[in-house]
């Protein structure tokens, strides 16, 4: 994939997972990532559905952005729900990979994403 600008992809962490990642400097991901053997990410177009589907009632979340191009060949685009391609990382995620992190609070109608994400 060739991009004129950085393509950000996103990972949603529960606060304890994010705190552990920050302490250790790297992570193999959440329990689902460990079970599947890779770290799940979403594109900007996919992340709201990911939040609604997998974190519906959870409020203390952290949205982490990563530059897809900087993750190298360990990042693969593979079909998932409905055949859509999702980014999966087949290596540890390090703090150096993170472009930014922001709180992802739960509002009355769902998660409140940072302005300008879409």
């Amino acid at each position: 994939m060739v991009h004129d600008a950085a393509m950000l992809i996103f990972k949603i962490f529960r606060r304890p997972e994010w705190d552990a990642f920050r302490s250790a400097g790297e992570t193999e991901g959440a329990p689902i990532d460990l079970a599947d053997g890779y770290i799940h990410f979403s594109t900007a177009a996919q992340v709201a559905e990911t939040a609604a589907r997998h974190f519906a009632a959870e409020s203390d979340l952290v949205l982490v952005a990563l530059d897809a191009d900087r993750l190298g060949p360990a990042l693969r685009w593979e079909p998932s729900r409905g055949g859509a391609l999702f980014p999966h990382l087949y290596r540890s995620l390090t703090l150096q990979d993170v472009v930014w992190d922001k709180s992802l609070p739960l509002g009355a109608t769902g998660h409140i994403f940072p302005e300008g994400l879409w």
Side-chain angles (χ1 to χ4, degrees), residues 1-96:
M1 302 180 97
V2 177
H3 308 289
D4 294 332
M7 178 185 185
L8 294 180
I9 58 173
F10 302 92
K11 176 75 180 160
I12 298 170
F13 285 101
R14 293 170 184 92
R15 181 73 56 184
E17 295 164 350
W18 173 243
D19 291 343
F21 176 19
R22 286 180 44 200
S23 287
E26 67 178 27
T27 184
E28 299 296 326
I32 189 164
D33 301 318
L34 295 171
D36 289 347
Y38 55 83
I39 300 177
H40 293 261
F41 294 96
S42 300
T43 65
Q46 297 163 337
V47 72
E49 184 181 347
T50 297
R53 184 178 290 243
H54 299 288
F55 302 93
E58 298 185 55
S59 61
D60 196 14
L61 301 174
V62 179
L63 182 68
V64 177
L66 305 107
D67 179 344
D69 292 335
R70 286 184 20 211
L71 295 175
L75 184 72
R76 299 183 203 153
W77 294 81
E78 299 174 321
S80 190
R81 59 180 182 247
L85 293 180
F86 279 75
H88 297 151
L89 186 65
Y90 288 85
R91 68 163 171 81
S92 298
L93 184 63
T94 69
L95 283 179
Q96 289 77 26

